[in-house]
Amino acid sequence: MERAAVFDVDGTLVDTNHLHVTTWWEALRQAGHRVPMHAVHRAIGLGSDDLVAHLLGEDRDKDQDAELSAAHKALYGQYFDRLPALQDAGRLLRRLDHEGWRVVLATSAGGAELSALRRAIDADDVIMATASADDVEEGKPAPEPVEHALELAGVPAERAFFVGDTVWDMQAGSRAGVHCVGVLCGGIPRADLEKAGAQAIYDDPAHLLASLADSPLA
């Protein structure tokens, strides 16, 4: 039977969450918004529009949303040539592919940002498909990104796992009906991931790879 291993990217396979925190904080600061970095960190993993709404509220000047998103993209884009993959991220994907899993990415990133992330992971030869922000109407925590990833893999939810680092990932995976595995390398506490639906939690891709034989993905 075919199986799918669906992965979030930022904070799960590539060590970018704190780059996003800094660049979103700066974009907001330049526009006159004082938002503490810890609040920005908790919002990472949401798509741009949802992140701005989450941080600034529904009574904000929504005409400013596009400018904030563009400022973040410009600031974050300065790091595209040196995004750091987390230890053993590529090896983990290759191991799962070798064991018969269909490896798919589900990320709020798209376009040039997604291309930079994939270069960092350096495992395009085993990534079957990518469900990106360019492909869905609603981002996480809605289930659509994970559901689209499953469609691309041709695998039903009950034979799939979703690996992610945020509460939004766990909520999206749970709503899509897949088994959820959390990683701590994005900086979100274990208890929060468990409460959001994580069935197992590992430190990072290297820890999951080393523990694979005893993991839910065994």
Side-chain angles (χ1 to χ4, degrees):
M1 293 188 296
E2 299 294 346
R3 309 177 290 176
V6 182
F7 282 84
D8 170 62
V9 180
D10 282 298
T12 300
L13 297 173
V14 187
D15 193 11
T16 49
N17 278 11
H18 289 87
L19 292 176
H20 277 299
V21 171
T22 301
T23 52
W24 270 115
W25 175 85
E26 178 61 16
L28 290 161
R29 188 198 67 79
Q30 290 177 2
H33 301 289
R34 295 175 60 87
V35 180
M37 286 196 181
H38 72 83
V40 179
H41 180 218
R42 301 293 298 213
I44 298 302
L46 294 171
S48 293
D49 292 343
D50 292 332
L51 182 145
V52 172
H54 181 79
L55 292 174
L56 299 184
E58 291 300 321
D59 59 347
R60 70 192 185 282
D61 178 6
K62 296 180 182 178
D63 291 339
Q64 198 180 51
D65 286 9
E67 295 176 13
L68 286 168
S69 180
H72 164 256
K73 286 182 179 180
L75 291 162
Y76 182 65
Q78 299 174 76
Y79 298 99
F80 279 1
D81 62 347
R82 56 192 186 279
L83 298 180
L86 285 152
Q87 183 180 352
D88 288 342
R91 287 185 61 204
L92 173 61
L93 301 191
R94 289 196 171 86
R95 171 78 173 274
L96 290 169
D97 174 75
H98 180 73
E99 295 187 359
W101 291 84
R102 294 186 174 183
V103 177
V104 184
L105 306 181
T107 173
S108 58
E113 180 182 343
L114 178 57
S115 296
L117 290 165
R118 291 183 67 142
R119 286 195 300 272
I121 299 166
D122 193 23
D124 273 357
D125 52 314
V126 299
I127 297 171
M128 177 184 180
T130 300
S132 78
D134 301 330
D135 305 319
V136 297
E137 293 295 323
E138 286 189 278
K140 306 164 195 171
E144 189 178 353
V146 181
E147 291 170 345
H148 183 52
L150 296 178
E151 291 173 5
L152 294 172
V155 173
E158 60 269 20
R159 295 209 300 274
F161 281 85
F162 180 42
V163 182
D165 68 297
T166 68
V167 167
W168 320 115
D169 291 327
M170 299 302 101
Q171 290 177 349
S174 297
R175 292 169 182 172
V178 304
H179 309 285
C180 294
V181 172
V183 288
L184 300 174
C185 42
I188 300 302
R190 178 185 298 269
D192 291 8
L193 296 177
E194 289 175 341
K195 184 177 179 180
Q199 298 170 17
I201 297 178
Y202 299 88
D203 293 339
D204 53 21
H207 185 203
L208 177 54
L209 177 61
S211 309
L212 205 56
D214 298 316
S215 78
L217 286 85

